[in-house]
Amino acid sequence: MSVQVVRFTVAGEETSAPMAPTIGEPGRPYTVLYDGHCKVCGRMVRLLTKWDRNHLLEIIPSQAAGVRPRFPWIPERSYIESVQVIRTKDGKTWQAASALEELLKVLPKGRLISWLFKIPFVRPLVDRFYRWFARNRYKFGCGEHCALRPADLDYQDGAVGEK
């Protein structure tokens, strides 16, 4: 008896299928891109799914087919570095802590804590914590693949592609 094996490749490098599925469908007000291999990101997706009572989010693993052509303005390494949030109507994109801040603004339960970002110095502290956490997420239950990361991006204002 033989068993078919499917191997995925990206830019000639073998990858495995993402651990988490796509949630929602195109056309929702926001799209969330995350590392589908990361267990920490998978937990975040489960939380977002619970909080998204109004079905505002399309949540897609960055390894899903068609993601890169759909969002060509997002640099390749940004998919590994942080979560990406795209507003569908105009393509405005946030990453890292700014992406989380935007999600808190639009989700009903998030509004309970989104006011914290209006306190002076909170935004830079959250950004610094996010970058530290993203570099060390493999220590918090993610796989070893998260320990092998490209050089850190310098996130300014959460804008994609800026240094």
Side-chain angles (χ1 to χ4, degrees), residues 124-135:
L125 288 174
V126 171
D127 186 55
R128 180 171 281 205
F129 176 77
Y130 184 97
R131 284 186 279 148
W132 173 83
F133 186 87
R135 279 193 310 271

Side-chain angles (χ1 to χ4, degrees), residues 48-69:
L48 287 176
T49 303
K50 286 181 187 176
W51 283 16
D52 187 22
R53 294 187 309 239
N54 299 330
H55 306 290
L56 300 172
L57 306 177
E58 175 190 13
I59 306 171
I60 309 172
S62 60
Q63 296 85 2
V67 166
R68 286 170 176 67

Side-chain angles (χ1 to χ4, degrees), residues 74-88:
I74 300 175
E76 188 77 25
R77 68 182 186 179
S78 292
Y79 292 107
I80 297 168
E81 291 288 327
S82 65
V83 67
Q84 309 289 314
V85 174
I86 301 100
R87 188 168 51 209
T88 307

Side-chain angles (χ1 to χ4, degrees), residues 128-157:
R128 180 171 281 205
F129 176 77
Y130 184 97
R131 284 186 279 148
W132 173 83
F133 186 87
R135 279 193 310 271
N136 295 288
R137 63 185 170 167
Y138 67 96
K139 296 177 184 176
F140 298 101
C142 192
E144 282 299 311
H145 73 279
C146 288
L148 305 173
R149 301 165 31 80
D152 288 334
L153 290 173
D154 183 15
Y155 298 109
Q156 289 184 354
D157 239 0

Side-chain angles (χ1 to χ4, degrees), residues 17-70:
M19 296 168 58
T22 296
I23 298 165
E25 60 280 331
R28 290 187 175 186
Y30 289 87
T31 301
V32 178
L33 301 174
Y34 69 100
D35 183 352
H37 298 297
C38 175
K39 294 176 187 175
V40 174
C41 296
R43 286 186 218 120
M44 178 198 68
V45 166
R46 286 191 292 278
L47 179 66
L48 287 176
T49 303
K50 286 181 187 176
W51 283 16
D52 187 22
R53 294 187 309 239
N54 299 330
H55 306 290
L56 300 172
L57 306 177
E58 175 190 13
I59 306 171
I60 309 172
S62 60
Q63 296 85 2
V67 166
R68 286 170 176 67
R70 185 173 165 194

